[in-house]
Amino acid sequence: KNYFYINNTATPRQIGNFFESLMEKSYLNEQSKEILLNKMSTTLFDDRIHQGLTRDIKFSHKIGNWPETSSWHDCGIASRKNRLFVVCVMSRNTTYEDFLSVTKDVGEFLIILF
């Protein structure tokens, strides 16, 4: 179920579906997709999944921070050459340090997939 409009929550699958639709559907033309992905890949929040990636992998993402609920998120599209992967890490009731450790591991796993 989609509870986003009721209580501002979403699942990793729902956010992943959003990114998949963004890339696969014709909501945006190819030039607009490229502009959006470039904007989303240069952020101040590159201490999460980015930390496990090599420089040749582009990660266009959106993060979330809710310290009050100990919730941290990093979801987006990892791309290298012509390959794309949608990745989404979301947490609840965890420390920021543990979240950073997990997201680094996810980034390192993405290297293997490429």
Side-chain angles (χ1 to χ4, degrees), residues 2 7 16 19 34 48 92 94 99 101:
N2 186 345
N7 59 8
F19 281 108
E34 191 62 31
R48 299 163 193 219
R92 180 175 42 189
T94 192
F99 179 74
S101 176

Side-chain angles (χ1 to χ4, degrees), residues 13-64:
R13 182 71 188 150
Q14 289 169 326
I15 300 301
N17 286 342
F18 167 79
F19 281 108
E20 285 178 13
S21 292
L22 181 66
M23 295 309 297
E24 294 176 1
K25 306 290 185 200
S26 60
Y27 302 121
L28 301 173
N29 63 36
E30 291 304 315
Q31 181 182 8
S32 295
K33 286 179 190 179
E34 191 62 31
I35 290 169
L36 180 62
L37 292 177
N38 284 336
K39 292 280 187 194
M40 292 175 66
S41 69
T42 53
T43 72
L44 298 175
F45 302 98
D46 293 346
D47 61 340
R48 299 163 193 219
I49 292 172
H50 269 103
Q51 67 179 327
L53 298 175
T54 55
R55 290 190 179 266
D56 61 331
I57 298 173
K58 180 177 177 180
F59 188 53
S60 304
H61 65 126
K62 176 72 177 96
I63 63 100

